Protein backbone atom coordinates (compact mmCIF):
# COMPACT_ATOMS: atom_id res chain seq x y z
CA UNK A 1 0.00 0.00 0.00
CA UNK A 2 1.48 3.32 -1.07
CA UNK A 3 0.95 6.60 0.75
CA UNK A 4 -0.34 9.67 -1.00
CA UNK A 5 0.08 13.17 0.37
CA UNK A 6 -2.06 15.85 -1.23
CA UNK A 7 -1.35 19.52 -0.73
CA UNK A 8 -4.30 21.70 -1.56
CA UNK A 9 -3.23 25.22 -2.28
CA UNK A 10 -5.64 28.04 -2.69
CA UNK A 11 -5.60 31.76 -2.49
CA UNK A 12 -8.43 33.03 -0.37
CA UNK A 13 -9.46 36.64 -0.72
CA UNK A 14 -11.70 38.15 1.90
CA UNK A 15 -13.62 41.11 0.52
CA UNK A 16 -15.67 43.27 2.82
CA UNK A 17 -18.20 45.73 1.48
CA UNK A 18 -19.63 48.64 3.40
CA UNK A 19 -23.36 48.20 3.82
CA UNK A 20 -26.10 50.56 4.81
CA UNK A 21 -27.61 49.71 8.17
CA UNK A 22 -30.83 47.71 7.96
CA UNK A 23 -33.44 49.98 9.49
CA UNK A 24 -36.34 47.54 8.97
CA UNK A 25 -35.27 45.21 11.77
CA UNK A 26 -36.21 45.93 15.34
CA UNK A 27 -33.57 45.98 18.04
CA UNK A 28 -33.51 43.01 20.38
CA UNK A 29 -31.82 43.55 23.68
CA UNK A 30 -28.66 41.47 23.86
CA UNK A 31 -27.14 39.58 26.75
CA UNK A 32 -23.47 39.88 27.55
CA UNK A 33 -21.62 36.58 27.50
CA UNK A 34 -18.68 35.66 29.64
CA UNK A 35 -15.50 34.18 28.20
CA UNK A 36 -16.05 31.87 25.23
CA UNK A 37 -13.40 29.31 24.29
CA UNK A 38 -13.55 27.48 20.97
CA UNK A 39 -11.26 24.48 20.61
CA UNK A 40 -10.58 22.49 17.48
CA UNK A 41 -8.00 20.03 16.33
CA UNK A 42 -6.07 20.90 13.21
CA UNK A 43 -5.79 17.15 12.47
CA UNK A 44 -8.93 15.18 11.71
CA UNK A 45 -9.42 11.67 10.38
CA UNK A 46 -12.00 11.48 7.63
CA UNK A 47 -12.55 7.96 6.37
CA UNK A 48 -9.33 6.68 4.85
CA UNK A 49 -7.38 9.92 5.08
CA UNK A 50 -6.10 12.52 7.52
CA UNK A 51 -6.97 16.17 6.95
CA UNK A 52 -4.49 18.70 8.34
CA UNK A 53 -5.38 22.38 8.37
CA UNK A 54 -2.25 24.37 9.22
CA UNK A 55 -2.50 26.81 12.10
CA UNK A 56 -1.34 30.40 11.84
CA UNK A 57 1.72 29.54 13.94
CA UNK A 58 2.64 26.53 11.78
CA UNK A 59 2.50 28.69 8.66
CA UNK A 60 4.43 31.51 10.33
CA UNK A 61 7.35 29.23 11.21
CA UNK A 62 7.62 27.68 7.74
CA UNK A 63 9.56 28.99 4.76
CA UNK A 64 9.01 26.10 2.32
CA UNK A 65 6.33 23.49 1.68
CA UNK A 66 8.55 20.89 3.36
CA UNK A 67 8.89 23.09 6.45
CA UNK A 68 5.11 23.28 6.72
CA UNK A 69 4.72 19.51 6.26
CA UNK A 70 7.22 18.98 9.05
CA UNK A 71 5.51 21.58 11.29
CA UNK A 72 2.17 19.78 10.90
CA UNK A 73 3.61 16.82 12.84
CA UNK A 74 1.21 14.33 11.23
CA UNK A 75 1.54 11.05 13.18
CA UNK A 76 3.67 8.53 11.30
CA UNK A 77 4.80 11.01 8.63
CA UNK A 78 8.52 11.78 8.54
CA UNK A 79 9.77 14.75 6.52
CA UNK A 80 13.42 15.20 5.55
CA UNK A 81 13.45 18.88 4.60
CA UNK A 82 16.84 18.96 2.87
CA UNK A 83 16.18 16.04 0.49
CA UNK A 84 12.41 16.28 0.17
CA UNK A 85 11.94 12.74 1.39
CA UNK A 86 8.50 12.17 2.91
CA UNK A 87 7.86 8.74 4.37
CA UNK A 88 4.96 7.06 6.14
CA UNK A 89 4.60 3.68 7.86
CA UNK A 90 3.55 2.35 4.42
CA UNK A 91 6.66 3.69 2.65
CA UNK A 92 7.54 6.73 0.57
CA UNK A 93 4.83 9.30 -0.06
CA UNK A 94 3.95 10.75 -3.45
CA UNK A 95 3.21 14.47 -3.27
CA UNK A 96 0.44 16.16 -5.23
CA UNK A 97 -0.68 19.78 -5.48
CA UNK A 98 -4.25 20.29 -6.63
CA UNK A 99 -4.33 16.72 -7.99
CA UNK A 100 -1.07 16.95 -9.96
CA UNK A 101 2.05 15.01 -8.96
CA UNK A 102 4.90 17.39 -8.11
CA UNK A 103 8.65 17.22 -7.65
CA UNK A 104 11.03 18.44 -4.94
CA UNK A 105 11.46 21.90 -6.46
CA UNK A 106 7.72 22.60 -6.61
CA UNK A 107 7.11 21.64 -2.97
CA UNK A 108 10.26 23.47 -1.86
CA UNK A 109 9.09 26.68 -3.55
CA UNK A 110 5.55 26.66 -2.05
CA UNK A 111 4.59 29.67 0.01
CA UNK A 112 3.23 28.21 3.28
CA UNK A 113 0.92 31.19 3.80
CA UNK A 114 -1.04 30.13 0.70
CA UNK A 115 -1.57 26.49 1.73
CA UNK A 116 -5.11 25.92 2.91
CA UNK A 117 -4.98 22.24 3.90
CA UNK A 118 -3.04 19.00 3.53
CA UNK A 119 -4.55 15.56 3.09
CA UNK A 120 -2.81 12.26 3.61
CA UNK A 121 -4.45 9.28 1.93
CA UNK A 122 -3.52 5.62 1.65
CA UNK A 123 -3.92 4.15 -1.82
Amino acid sequence: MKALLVIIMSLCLHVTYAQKPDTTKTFIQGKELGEVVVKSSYLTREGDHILAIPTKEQRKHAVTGYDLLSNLMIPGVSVERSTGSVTTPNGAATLYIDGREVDFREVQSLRPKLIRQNEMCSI
Side-chain angles (χ1 to χ4, degrees):
M1 189 184 284
K2 207 173 175 192
L4 166 72
L5 187 61
V6 179
I7 299 170
I8 298 177
M9 184 173 147
S10 69
L11 179 60
C12 297
L13 298 176
H14 297 283
V15 180
T16 305
Y17 296 99
Q19 296 180 0
K20 294 180 182 177
D22 186 356
T23 56
T24 59
K25 294 182 181 176
T26 58
F27 178 76
I28 299 174
Q29 187 173 1
K31 181 178 180 182
E32 185 176 328
L33 298 176
E35 181 178 344
V36 176
V37 178
V38 177
K39 293 184 179 183
S40 176
S41 174
Y42 70 94
L43 288 177
T44 55
R45 181 174 297 277
E46 294 183 359
D48 66 341
H49 66 277
I50 295 173
L51 178 64
I53 300 175
T55 65
K56 183 178 178 180
E57 288 298 310
Q58 289 168 327
R59 287 187 183 116
K60 180 181 174 182
H61 296 290
V63 177
T64 69
Y66 289 109
D67 290 340
L68 184 59
L69 281 176
S70 180
N71 291 352
L72 287 172
M73 296 184 288
I74 300 171
V77 175
S78 177
V79 179
E80 179 57 52
R81 297 175 193 192
S82 60
T83 63
S85 171
V86 180
T87 57
T88 69
N90 295 330
T94 305
L95 303 179
Y96 290 79
I97 297 176
D98 292 335
R100 182 180 56 81
E101 189 172 343
V102 293
D103 61 13
F104 171 81
R105 182 185 50 76
E106 291 175 279
V107 178
Q108 183 73 12
S109 64
L110 283 177
R111 294 181 55 203
K113 292 179 183 179
L114 299 179
I115 297 175
R116 180 181 53 163
Q117 66 187 33
N118 295 303
E119 293 182 47
M120 187 181 124
C121 311
S122 295
I123 57 171

